[in-house]
Amino acid sequence: MKQIIIFGECMVELFQLVDNVYHQAFAGDVYNTAVYCKRSAPAQLNLKFLSAVGTDLVSDKLIAQLEQEKLDSTLVLRTKTARPGLYMINTDCFGERSFVYWRDSSAAKQSLALFRQHSTVAHLLPADVFYFSGISLAILSLEDRTYLFSLIKELKAQGVQIVFDPNYRPALWPDAEICRANFDQAYALSDLALPGLDDHKVLYGSSSAADVLAQLQQLGVKEIIVKNGSSGVLGVSDGKSFQCPAVPVKKVIDTTAAGDSFNGGYLAGRLNGLSALASCQYAAALASFVVEHTGAIVTKEQFRSFSGR
Ligand code: ADP
């Protein structure tokens, strides 16, 4: 079984059903990717979630949820001083959704500080892939971010493939310049990058997917997949560039986790020996299915109906 470490935060999600009635779930960018990756290749991949939770009942439920999804929770650390982050999705009378977050003091922010108290890079090995995002970076203190980059360098030296999705969230960064400096460092260490064109338009002023490709090639990234919503993706792998269209959908219901599910499907495809193009085709089909359904994570039953297509 291939070993994949997924580093970041999983939060409690409260999704408004009707006035003052909420459905509770768990979600977060890298968690969503882990779920879709594992569901896509359950027998071939072991996904270890590297994070931290509290010692409260909700944290126990979060761990139980990881286990339900057959994710490996042995790298989820516990702290007595914090709880999981939380966000609410509310819908106004015009059907517009808005997100409100309580994550400033979440347990996941302590994950690397807790990790290095008792562990070293050896505790992460053997591993085939280390996956992280711009959100995983943004929630860390400056000291922990520096530690993360040194950890990634050591993993890379051990032959671990480094995978990064910038997932730019302006509210999580003090300013765009600091964010760009961190992303440039992350890209320079990455073997595979999965950016969205929209993120690069806002953060770097890129005007096209080709711009993003050229920028990341300059930073030394060998495999790059630039996602561009319903316009599909532009990719490069083994020195060859290619395009892959999105799979048209009858009606977009909710674009939450479109990029996350694409990443999970793409990783599963690549780690299962598919070409970059074939992996994009699978990932695009999965992401199009996800945008036709409500919420970040489709039910297991819905996923089975997708797999059976
Ligand atoms: P990100 O959230 O990372 O910016 P995108 O919005 O580009 O990601 O979406 C990721 C993938 O999801 C796209 O490459 C495409 O395959 C699929 N996707 C997103 N929006 C649509 C849509 N409206 N119709 C079909 N597929 C879509």
Side-chain angles (χ1 to χ4, degrees):
M1 250 195 182
K2 292 215 163 117
Q3 303 293 331
I4 298 133
I5 300 163
I6 301 253
F7 169 61
E9 180 166 25
C10 178
M11 287 176 286
V12 178
E13 178 190 271
L14 294 179
F15 181 88
Q16 187 186 20
L17 296 175
V18 290
D19 242 2
N20 298 328
V21 181
Y22 290 83
H23 170 76
Q24 192 256 299
F26 294 100
D29 66 335
V30 296
Y31 167 75
N32 305 338
T33 295
V35 168
Y36 285 113
C37 189
K38 179 65 181 175
R39 287 187 186 179
S40 296
Q44 294 86 356
L45 308 178
N46 185 44
L47 285 114
K48 290 187 188 172
F49 199 56
L50 173 59
S51 191
V53 296
T55 50
D56 53 283
L57 188 65
V58 178
S59 295
D60 293 347
K61 285 188 178 174
L62 195 158
I63 299 239
Q65 180 64 30
L66 294 176
E67 285 161 6
Q68 266 234 342
E69 290 291 348
K70 308 265 186 295
L71 301 175
D72 184 329
S73 63
T74 50
L75 294 174
V76 180
L77 305 164
R78 297 272 193 157
T79 172
K80 284 192 178 127
T81 62
R83 286 154 292 285
L86 178 145
Y87 70 102
M88 279 172 108
I89 308 172
N90 289 289
T91 311
D92 69 14
C93 56
F94 303 107
E96 280 296 312
R97 287 179 312 137
S98 64
F99 292 71
V100 187
Y101 290 88
W102 291 263
R103 73 188 313 178
D104 294 348
S105 58
S106 71
K109 289 173 87 82
Q110 298 182 20
S111 46
L112 288 187
L114 292 167
F115 176 81
R116 70 188 148 134
Q117 274 174 19
H118 305 291
S119 311
T120 63
V121 70
H123 292 89
L124 301 179
L125 296 170
D128 295 284
V129 171
F130 182 88
Y131 179 94
F132 71 121
S133 77
I135 298 177
S136 323
L137 269 179
I139 63 168
L140 298 177
S141 67
L142 190 60
E143 198 186 349
D144 287 346
R145 236 180 259 156
T146 307
Y147 173 72
L148 176 65
F149 285 130
S150 71
L151 197 65
I152 291 174
K153 272 183 207 149
E154 288 185 60
L155 289 168
K156 199 174 164 75
Q158 297 286 332
V160 178
Q161 193 192 358
I162 310 299
V163 182
F164 178 65
D165 177 344
N167 256 342
Y168 178 45
R169 297 290 181 275
L172 295 180
W173 291 96
D175 63 53
E177 201 178 322
I178 291 176
C179 177
R180 278 192 293 269
N182 278 279
F183 284 8
D184 288 354
Q185 226 178 318
Y187 278 134
L189 289 168
S190 296
D191 300 287
L192 164 61
L194 296 155
L197 175 57
D198 285 347
D199 282 358
H200 272 250
K201 278 186 177 166
V202 179
L203 187 62
Y204 291 97
S206 316
S207 52
S208 67
D211 266 6
V212 180
L213 217 62
Q215 178 196 343
L216 301 195
Q217 280 179 313
Q218 278 256 317
L219 288 168
V221 191
K222 293 280 184 289
E223 186 163 328
I224 306 158
I225 306 296
V226 187
K227 293 165 285 179
N228 187 13
S230 58
S231 304
V233 305
L234 176 67
V236 68
S237 172
D238 289 330
K240 287 188 209 113
S241 63
F242 61 89
Q243 286 183 311
C244 176
V247 175
V249 298
K250 281 199 194 87
K251 188 170 179 218
V252 175
I253 303 288
D254 181 357
T255 56
T256 307
D260 304 336
S261 58
F262 183 98
N263 294 355
Y266 185 80
L267 265 184
R270 291 301 273 149
L271 293 170
N272 245 343
L274 295 185
S275 69
L277 176 60
S279 300
C280 279
Q281 286 163 341
Y282 170 75
L286 175 56
S288 74
F289 183 81
V290 169
V291 304
E292 283 181 303
H293 295 84
T294 312
I297 308 226
V298 299
T299 64
K300 285 185 179 163
E301 200 179 352
Q302 286 164 340
F303 189 83
R304 273 194 292 277
S305 84
F306 163 75
S307 305
R309 278 178 175 184

